[in-house]
Structures are given as C-alpha cells and as structure tokens.
Amino acid sequence: MKFDTPAGTNPIDTMKVIGQAVDRVDGKLKTTGQAPYAYEHGEIPGKPAYGYIIGAAIAKGRIAAMNTAEAKRMPGVLAIVSAENAQPLGKGSMNTAKLLGGPVVEHYHQAVAVVVAESFEQARSAANAVRIEYERGAGRFDLVKEKPGAQPLTGNDADTHTGDFAGAFASAPVQVDQTYTTPDQNHAMMEPFATIAWWDADALSVWTSNQMIAWNKRELAATFKLPPEKVHVRSPFIGGGFGGKLFLRADAVMAALGAKACGRPVKIAMPRPLMLNNATHRPATIQRIRLGATRDGKLTAIGHESWSGDLPGGGPESATQQTKLLYAGANRLTALRLAELDLPEANAMRAPGEAPGLMALEIAIDEMAEKLGMDPVKFRVLNDTQVDPEHPERPFSQRNLVRCLEEGADRFGWNRRSAKPAQMREGRWLIGMGVAAAFRNNINMTSAARVRLAGDGVVTVETDMTDIGTGSYTIIAQTAAEMMGLPVEKVRVKLGDSSFPASAGSGGQWGANSATSGVYAACAKLRDMAAQSLGMDPASAEFSDGRVRAGNRSAALAEAAKAGELVAEETMQWGDLGKKFQQSTFGAHFVEVAVDSYTGETRVRRMLAVCAAGRILNPKTARSQVIGAMTMGVGGALMEELAVDKRFGFFVNHDLAGYEVPVHADIPHQDVVFLDEADDKVSPMKAKGVGELGLCGVGAAVANAVYNATGVRVRDYPITLHKYLAKLPAIA
Amino acid sequence: MAQQPPAMAVTFKVNGKAQALMLDTRTTLLDALRDHIGLMGTKKGCDHGQCGACTVLVNGTRINSCLSLAVMHEGDAVTTIEGLGTPEQLHPMQAAFVKHDGFQCGYCTPGQICSAVAVLEEIRAGIPSHVQGDVGTAPEMSLPEMRERMSGNICRCGAYSNIAEAMAEVAGVRIAETHGAQSDAGAEA
Ligand code: FES
Ligand code: FES
C-alpha cells in the first residue's frame, strides 16, 4: 500500500480502541519479571558459556602484544578470541569504528578480545589475566582545539543560505550573538548491551537488545560475511535504547565470535563501565547563534552554526536542523562543521540534532525576547510561520505551535512570572519560570506486517517492530483491534523477530506512526480477505464488535477463518507528501525551578508540556514517552556530561555513579497535554511521534527558568552550580 | 588445568522455596538468582550498586543483590519480583504500576517495585530519611519522602512521576490537585 494522497475517513477514525488510554498489553509481564530481555532467554540449543569483553586501554595506537597464556590456563576458560585469531570480519555500513579492534586501536574501550568460560566469574577473572601491551599514538580529543580545522558537509548537512543573512544581521536594530555549548552525553539505558549467540553450521542466531531488527540482521550478515537469510535476530523486549541500540554493537559480534570458537551458545552482557566508551554517545557541540530583529519583535535574521566532532568517517550532530523551520525570518543561515576527534564514536541519541540544537536556540530566543522587552511566549507567537521559511511554497501539514504556547502559558500560570529576573523569592529559594518551544520532524519509514485471523477469532500481528518502552505492543494491538473490529484482548502481537516482515523499527520517533501504518495496511488486506471469505462485498463491509456486516448480512469475524487461517501481509510505503508538506511535531515546555540562594542548588518544581503531534494513538503510553523525555531533558540541563580526559582521550565518568542522570528526587509531578489533532497528510493513522518531541526544548526551558530565578545566564550545559554560584544575588 | 576456584555450599529460601546451591564464592546473589536458579526477573543494570535494578528483599529488607555475595545469605529468606505476584495475581504495587504506567522499557521495573514495597514499610517503621524536617519524629507518608527513598532506583525511561503516583495510591496518600504544592523545594519557607 502506498500512501500518496491525504487520508480520507478510514476505520481508524472510529477511535473505539485507538486514542484510548489502554493499559500496556505487556504490562503484567514487565511488572512481574516475566518479560525476557536479551540475556534471559532459555530457548537456546544447549548450555551457554559466558563471554567477557576486553576493551582497549588506550584511545589510539596499536596493540604491540597480547599475552593470553595465563588466561587460557585459568579454570573454565574455553576460548579467547581477538583480532589475532578471529576470522576476517566485514564492517557494517552504519558503524564508524570497527566492533573488534586490534592491532589498530581506534578509540578507548574498543573491544579487542573476548574471553569465553564456563561461568561469568571465570570469564571475568580470566579477562583480567590477559596481558596487553600497547603502543600509544597521538590523538585529538579536544573539540575546542580541533574546531578551526572543522570541515563543512554536503547533502542534508550542507550549509543553507536564504536571503542576505550577513546584511540583515548587521543592520538589525536588535541583535543577539552568543555561543552555547552542550557536552557529550550518554544514552545510559538501563539494560546493558546484551546478546546470546549461537551457530548452527553456517547460520547465526542471536537473542539481542536492538531497536532496528532489519538493520541488525543486515549488519551481522555483513560482519560475518553471510547471506542475510543465514542470520536470525530476535529482540522481543528491550530495556531502553534511546538511539544507543540502533546499531549492531560489540556484544553481538563478540558473542558470535565466542560461540564460533567454543561451539556453544555464548551469552554476553557488556559490563556497565565498558559501555560508555565502547559504544556511541551524543557528541558535544559548540553553537554560535546570531539573531537580528526589528524593535517591534520581528525576526529578520537567523543564523545558527554548530561544530561537533567524530572519528574519521563519522558524522556531525545536526544541531541546526530545527533552526531551518522553527521561526519566520527572511534572512537565514545554517552551517554545520565537523572536526575529527579520536574519542569514542559519536552517533544518534534521542532527538539527535534537535535536542542539543534547541538547548542553544531556545536560550537565544529567550535572550532576544528579553532584549526586546517582550514576553518570550508572545515573541515566539509573533514569529510563527505556517510555511517552510527556506521554501515558502511548502506549507506545514499541520502546525499548532502557537496553540501549544498559549494554552501552556494559560495552564501553567505564566502570567505570574516576573519578566525581570531574580525577583521572586520564597524564603531562601529564588523562583523562576522558563519556556521553550519543542520541535521535531516527522519521518515516515517503510513498514511491513503480517496479520493472521484464526478460527477462534483471534488476530495475531507479526512484524519485526521493536518495543523499547515506547508502547509498540500496545498501539499495534490497538491498531489491529480497531481495524478488525475487535477488543484489544482478541489481538496477539509478536514483535522483534527477523523472520517477521521488516518494519520501521524504533528510531527518530518514526516507530509509532510508521509501524502502525504497516499494520493498518496488512489489516486492510485481511479485511478484504475476510469479507470475501464470508461472501460479502469488501468495499462496504464494516467490522465492529467482532462481527462483519455488509448490506443486511452479518457474521462473526471468526467465521471467515473457519475453513482455515487467513493470512495477509502488506507493506506501507510512502509517496511524496513529505516533500510537498513539511511534516513536523510541535510543543511548548514550561518549567518552574527553585534555586537555593545560599547553596545554589537547583530544584525543578513544576513541568508542563503541551504537544501537537497529530493523533495520539494511546494517551497513556504517549504521555509516558513525553514525561520520560522531559526527565531526560532535566538531566541534560542540570547534570548530564561525559567528562573528557583530553590527555588520554576517554570519558572519565564511565558508569552510572559518575554519569549522573535524574533520579526520583529530581523530578516533580509532570503535566502533559496533547492537542486534539489528526494529521491527514502523514499517514492513514493521522499520527506523528512524541518520543523525541518530549525532549526537544526541555533543557532550554530549564535554563531559562534558572535565569529567570537568578539573573545569571549560563550558556554552557549542564548548568551545574559552580557556573553560577558566585554570581547569585546577594543574600538579603 | 589450573586448580578450580573455591566453591561453597549455601542454602537459602527464594520466594518461599528452599534452594541448595554449590557456588563459586565470587557469585553474587544477583547472579545466583539469575544464572543458577533461573529467576530472571531481577535485573542487572550495572553490577556495581549504582542503579537499583537488582533490588530484592532479604528477610524483608531491600538490598542491591549485585553488591552481595550469594554465600553470605546462608539461611536467609529472599523475595524477588516473582515472589511478589504473578501476571494472574498481581501484587497491589504491581497492579498500581500497570494502572499508572509506572514504567516503559520495564528493565528497572522489578527493582522499582521491590523498592517501592519496601519503602512504604520503611516509612511505616519510622526509619528516618534525609528529607525529614525532624528525624526525632515519625516520617510522613508523603511524596517527597517516597521520592527521596526511591532515589537509588534509576529509571532512565523517566517514569518517576508515574511511579510516585502508583506508590501514592498503594500507600493511600491523596495527591493534591496542584502537584507543584507537593514539591519539597521552597516548601519550608
Ligand atoms: S545491578 Fe545492582 S545496583 Fe545496578
Ligand atoms: S522503565 Fe525503562 S528504565 Fe525504568
């Protein structure tokens, strides 16, 4: 099925099941410990052995010698695999550094060997006995130092020029010209990278923890030089990913190598202290933003340049993405520059581009509003656009940013905010409010599904879609239920298996809309088959309450499969509506903080997000996506930072004690409002994503609230108290 | 072959069932539960006492099972998430987590639920905390108390707001209309 014209009325519009706050269909499994994650599957051929990965102890250079003699003699050791004795491996197209390093080392904690033993304790202990001598090479670890040599990019990341930015900025009566920085950040998903791998002759099977099953299968095949049909990937439950599990990682490669070497299934969970340097991270940025405006508050010049670094062959953090589309303004410039760094590999983390981009842009907007003496909500409203500002012939498919801002301001009690900072006090606490716009593009991905109708009237959905906590199981069950006129209880959903049709997978907040659209397409086909089987006209058949009705005839849906199971498979493909219309999601974040005037401690007191993201398929799971993202936004604003050792080239705080993320005590009650929308240009589901939108802008809303509370503007994230403590207002 | 590492026998109860194990002495309680007894409900997030995913109840007290060697638990009674309830018969805290969507990926969830059950008991038992105004008086059954005591259980999916509501429901605490008023910061003005 191809979606190339705006959706008309369809069965999803009934919204008997879709749009309802259905409890997660996998909730009872997850809350009772019965949902199996990658490391926990018992369905494997034989007793597993345990693998322990050794990470390089240098950031760049060579392994001069690896002495495994002592380790090999240790109890229980079955195999030690390194580049010295591993089969020659290919490299997947989506990895920058090799997943098995050696003798050349490309980054710190790059996997260089795996020790396989009868038990976890034996493998760990033997791994400690492997002696490696390194020749340390010179590396580049400091973005500030490498910034002058950073290079422009092509394609989607090329510079954009609209009108005459330089002239308009120079002549603008009101200007902001500031530089902001965001640090390296880590996904810190709670489930470590984990895989159980085994071989059956030349076929490889894995239980793994991965967001993108079809990519993972393709990349495993490329790595082990196998035809893709020889690879079976399963990932039914995933303990968080946030972009960190988009790609094939070392756990799967090393488990497969270990399994090959010892002829048994091998299970590996990557030790937490290895994860932060071994795997990918969100790279640091340096962002210069220049805004020019008229005295009455119209933006005339918008310039956003961003620098980031990655290993040679890597990519940039596209932090200027939202700036192309968020506000009106005739003269515009965006530019990305990429420096080569020898730090661990940079790649996507939740809302790549927009998350750090908005952390900077939405402070700059706050600064401009203040210079103009305008309320920051009003200033944003005044500069709204309903068309793509770089290509005004392209309207937005739907854009209710203004409503998000105004409704949010109302609900939040924004009128109680003092425009002048550092005016509101409650005892020792300085109180401030901040706002920021949220913006994230909608992306549609090809997505397929198979649906089965059995003789007992149960519909089973099979697709390789993943549920990384997003609620895919639940919204897919709701979609099939709505399409087939069944209650959710009559739908079974099977996910995360490469033997199922390839779906959109989970990334870029495309999962919900794309994957349910694939299920919609398969169900549309199944409806036709069911109607035909019942001798009814497919075009006029209606499906509800477990029955099919056409004309004056009515039959139980189950009847259609009496003679045998009906199976329909279909793929949702996308036309050019995404080119004709800019498809994006919008929101407004409001935050209230209290800053201790004595100690500088910042506490987030209230948070509200108002989101406009098309139809909300399940307000309960969608709200959870948003509050989770808001929580991550607080982390990014106030605490998250991978500290770079610029001499030796690694992230120093590489565990969950050193890399601080928000805990219960950091997060107040969070309010989320979804505007009642349905976007007929994006899909038959009329839905867009919220999982990344919820993060976009949060950091800046917190930063702006801290400024409003204290009068101290911090432009370098995270806003830790040493950056403002000395500048706090005098105490009484 | 080098000499085998020392193994030791240990017996304890898990969810009411006696377990007699012969274990490498380096085996943590967490790995004994997961890899030797096959109860995979208890999760390993860090193996270093930094995340709380491995929280279980030992003789009624919550601990990080990754920080404890299995052989130290001779004669103990361990309760894991599987011992609290089953999909057919949820513990009230498990049911409240489902109702309030107090989780997303579910990986921190067994630890959160074990902690949540224990935290309500700790408050009832008068065990003091950092957010108490006066540690001489009994702690209140309040959201700030719960949030403080739950802070060793990280949820990267960020379900905290919903977990607080699930706990409040089980504890019978009414959540005020304006949740902001529940915040601790600024409240002691
Ligand atoms: S696994 Fe025990 S605290 Fe993280
Ligand atoms: S539910 Fe995913 S970490 Fe808590």
Side-chain angles (χ1 to χ4, degrees):
Chain A
M1 183 181 282
K2 189 161 187 179
F3 184 77
D4 49 13
T5 50
T9 303
N10 68 44
I12 296 297
D13 295 322
T14 316
M15 291 186 72
K16 258 193 199 163
V17 193
I18 283 291
Q20 304 303 314
V22 175
D23 284 347
R24 280 175 206 261
V25 298
D26 51 346
K28 289 181 180 176
L29 290 180
K30 284 181 172 175
T31 53
T32 56
Q34 304 296 330
Y37 297 81
Y39 191 83
E40 300 164 359
H41 290 277
E43 196 192 311
I44 50 175
K47 188 172 176 297
Y50 293 78
Y52 200 91
I53 298 173
I54 300 176
I58 58 167
K60 197 168 165 64
R62 294 179 65 82
I63 294 175
M66 186 181 293
N67 184 343
T68 57
E70 183 192 346
K72 270 189 189 143
R73 286 195 304 271
M74 288 177 69
V77 172
L78 300 167
I80 299 177
V81 186
S82 68
E84 266 177 39
N85 60 353
Q87 64 182 98
L89 296 178
K91 200 173 93 175
S93 60
M94 302 181 105
N95 296 122
T96 306
K98 288 182 179 175
L99 294 173
L100 171 63
V104 174
V105 173
E106 294 164 283
H107 65 85
Y108 190 78
H109 274 178
Q110 183 176 27
V112 293
V114 62
V115 177
V116 182
E118 290 288 349
S119 78
F120 169 69
E121 293 76 20
Q122 290 169 333
R124 180 180 57 192
S125 150
N128 283 324
V130 173
R131 306 277 168 246
I132 305 177
E133 281 168 40
Y134 296 96
E135 282 163 12
R136 192 192 305 278
R140 300 151 295 178
F141 309 124
D142 185 349
L143 178 60
V144 173
K145 222 156 108 189
E146 303 305 322
K147 180 172 173 257
Q151 294 297 314
L153 297 125
T154 54
N156 282 344
D157 292 321
D159 296 359
T160 61
H161 301 271
T162 307
D164 169 22
F165 170 76
F169 179 72
S171 62
V174 188
Q175 297 175 334
V176 166
D177 181 354
Q178 290 292 354
T179 297
Y180 308 85
T181 64
T182 62
D184 296 286
Q185 293 180 337
N186 188 262
H187 312 85
M189 67 303 248
M190 290 302 299
E191 182 204 17
F193 297 104
T195 297
I196 309 176
W198 66 93
W199 295 84
D200 181 359
D202 59 347
L204 172 63
S205 297
V206 294
W207 291 109
T208 192
S209 185
N210 190 276
Q211 301 173 222
M212 301 292 299
I213 301 304
W215 293 1
N216 201 255
K217 174 176 166 163
R218 184 190 68 207
E219 303 276 283
L220 267 175
T223 304
F224 288 94
K225 304 182 178 170
L226 298 169
E229 61 274 14
K230 292 283 185 187
V231 177
H232 188 192
V233 176
R234 281 179 288 180
S235 196
F237 290 97
I238 296 144
F242 314 113
K245 292 175 181 167
L246 285 170
F247 313 111
L248 177 66
R249 297 301 318 167
D251 56 309
V253 172
M254 303 309 267
L257 284 172
K260 187 142 231 186
C262 74
R264 276 168 56 180
V266 166
K267 58 200 293 188
I268 292 182
M270 191 178 287
R272 179 65 62 174
L274 200 65
M275 286 176 62
L276 284 77
N277 285 289
N278 175 276
T280 61
H281 67 282
R282 188 204 299 284
T285 65
I286 299 169
Q287 302 180 46
R288 181 183 184 196
I289 296 180
R290 284 174 288 172
L291 302 175
T294 59
R295 288 202 195 285
D296 57 357
K298 282 275 189 191
L299 284 167
T300 53
I302 303 176
H304 192 164
E305 297 152 273
S306 176
W307 290 260
S308 62
D310 198 359
L311 289 167
E317 182 71 23
S318 305
T320 57
Q321 227 161 231
Q322 70 292 321
T323 309
K324 300 175 184 176
L325 291 161
L326 189 48
Y327 296 112
N331 305 289
R332 322 173 67 92
L333 156 79
T334 72
L336 294 172
R337 294 291 178 270
L338 177 62
E340 286 193 351
L341 291 179
D342 299 299
L343 289 171
E345 184 167 333
N347 214 316
M349 178 169 144
R350 200 175 197 168
E354 279 102 336
L358 284 162
M359 285 167 85
L361 177 65
E362 287 296 285
I363 297 185
I365 292 287
D366 199 63
E367 298 200 56
M368 178 54 101
E370 188 183 31
K371 277 200 169 175
L372 290 162
M374 279 183 79
D375 180 89
V377 170
K378 290 212 180 74
F379 176 59
R380 287 177 172 87
V381 169
L382 184 66
N383 288 287
D384 185 48
T385 176
Q386 292 295 317
V387 297
D388 170 351
E390 290 183 354
H391 308 97
E393 68 285 1
R394 287 179 77 229
F396 282 90
S397 61
Q398 191 166 53
R399 175 166 164 136
N400 284 316
L401 174 63
V402 168
R403 260 188 71 201
C404 293
L405 286 160
E406 292 180 338
E407 201 166 319
D410 247 21
R411 286 173 182 264
F412 200 66
W414 183 252
N415 57 5
R416 296 201 302 271
R417 169 183 175 270
S418 158
K420 200 167 163 226
Q423 301 302 303
M424 290 173 60
R425 279 179 187 260
E426 286 177 23
R428 64 190 285 164
W429 295 95
L430 300 161
I431 312 298
M433 291 189 215
V435 65
F439 177 91
R440 173 77 176 157
N441 282 335
N442 177 66
I443 302 169
N444 287 339
M445 300 279 277
T446 303
S447 201
R450 185 157 58 221
V451 283
R452 303 171 181 275
L453 173 65
D456 58 0
V458 168
V459 166
T460 301
V461 185
E462 295 170 344
T463 165
D464 84 353
M465 182 59 190
T466 49
D467 189 330
I468 61 174
T470 38
S472 308
Y473 278 106
T474 309
I475 57 173
I476 284 174
Q478 288 176 272
T479 303
E482 192 78 70
M483 288 297 287
M484 303 312 296
L486 294 171
V488 168
E489 298 72 41
K490 287 278 188 192
V491 179
R492 308 264 174 284
V493 180
K494 296 185 180 172
L495 299 181
D497 186 325
S498 66
S499 68
F500 299 154
S503 72
S506 301
Q509 83 172 12
W510 61 59
N513 182 41
S514 296
T516 56
S517 292
V519 174
Y520 171 97
C523 286
K525 206 169 183 180
L526 185 62
R527 284 165 61 107
D528 288 356
M529 291 167 75
Q532 268 157 11
S533 153
L534 294 167
M536 297 184 195
D537 167 31
S540 60
E542 284 177 23
F543 292 68
S544 65
D545 308 317
R547 301 190 70 78
V548 191
R549 295 181 183 83
N552 52 8
R553 294 193 46 213
S554 164
L557 176 63
E559 287 293 316
K562 268 287 168 313
E565 190 186 45
L566 300 183
V567 184
E569 186 173 331
E570 184 56 285
T571 304
M572 180 57 85
Q573 280 158 327
W574 308 97
D576 63 354
L577 287 175
K579 290 207 177 68
K580 289 189 191 143
F581 297 92
Q582 176 54 42
Q583 303 177 352
S584 305
T585 61
F586 306 90
H589 287 288
F590 292 84
V591 172
E592 180 178 289
V593 301
V595 180
D596 189 313
S597 58
Y598 291 80
T599 67
E601 176 190 7
T602 294
R603 308 279 305 152
V604 176
R605 298 216 302 184
R606 293 195 299 138
M607 299 186 82
L608 165 68
V610 183
C611 302
R615 175 175 283 151
I616 298 303
L617 302 174
N618 179 333
K620 185 176 265 193
T621 52
R623 178 178 173 278
S624 284
Q625 281 288 286
V626 176
I627 66 167
M630 290 158 78
T631 301
M632 195 175 272
V634 170
L638 297 178
M639 62 196 85
E640 291 184 36
E641 173 175 25
L642 287 165
V644 181
D645 185 317
K646 293 179 183 137
R647 303 158 305 165
F648 296 113
F650 68 101
F651 300 129
V652 181
N653 47 342
H654 53 86
D655 60 22
L656 290 174
Y659 186 78
E660 292 183 10
V661 299
V663 298
H664 279 271
D666 296 318
I667 301 300
H669 173 82
Q670 295 162 319
D671 277 321
V672 180
V673 175
F674 294 113
L675 299 188
D676 189 12
E677 286 191 337
D679 190 335
D680 64 355
K681 315 279 192 312
V682 296
S683 77
M685 303 302 293
K686 304 177 185 173
K688 293 180 271 196
V690 295
E692 299 188 325
L693 178 69
L695 172 59
C696 292
V698 178
V702 174
N704 294 337
V706 170
Y707 173 72
N708 185 245
T710 62
V712 186
R713 186 66 82 177
V714 180
R715 300 185 181 86
D716 300 300
Y717 291 98
I719 306 171
T720 40
L721 58 83
H722 69 282
K723 294 174 186 166
Y724 60 84
L725 182 60
K727 301 178 201 153
L728 287 184
I731 293 161
Chain B
M1 193 77 154
Q3 103 192 66
Q4 289 299 318
M8 240 175 104
V10 62
T11 56
F12 47 72
K13 274 191 181 163
V14 181
N15 303 328
K17 197 170 155 215
Q19 298 285 348
L21 303 169
M22 180 62 79
L23 292 175
D24 184 323
T25 50
R26 299 167 294 187
T27 309
T28 61
L29 177 58
L30 173 60
D31 288 332
L33 290 169
R34 283 167 64 84
D35 286 330
H36 295 266
I37 301 174
L39 289 173
M40 291 291 188
T42 309
K43 304 305 180 197
K44 186 187 281 192
C46 69
D47 217 11
H48 287 69
Q50 301 168 345
C51 76
C54 63
T55 305
V56 298
L57 308 176
V58 175
N59 305 329
T61 302
R62 61 184 172 143
I63 65 162
N64 287 338
S65 60
C66 72
L67 286 188
S68 185
L69 294 172
V71 294
M72 295 157 63
H73 291 283
E74 182 63 36
D76 282 348
V78 180
T79 304
T80 69
I81 189 70
E82 292 95 339
L84 287 180
T86 62
E88 296 70 39
Q89 209 165 8
L90 297 176
H91 183 280
M93 190 64 82
Q94 292 168 324
F97 267 61
V98 173
K99 178 178 163 192
H100 293 277
D101 214 31
F103 58 94
Q104 292 171 44
C105 77
Y107 200 76
C108 74
T109 311
Q112 300 280 357
I113 291 174
C114 286
S115 251
V117 167
V119 158
L120 299 190
E121 286 309 313
E122 286 164 24
I123 297 175
R124 284 190 196 109
I127 295 172
S129 88
H130 171 70
V131 295
Q132 245 171 289
D134 174 4
V135 290
T137 61
E140 266 178 73
M141 190 62 85
S142 68
L143 288 181
E145 280 287 353
M146 292 181 209
R147 290 197 180 103
E148 168 65 20
R149 292 163 194 263
M150 289 297 290
S151 286
N153 288 84
I154 295 175
C155 176
R156 184 56 161 166
C157 294
Y160 299 131
S161 184
N162 288 351
I163 293 172
E165 270 152 47
M167 290 179 70
E169 174 170 317
V170 174
V173 173
R174 213 181 62 83
I175 299 176
E177 283 292 293
T178 57
H179 294 80
Q182 301 259 348
S183 166
D184 47 343
E188 77 253 17

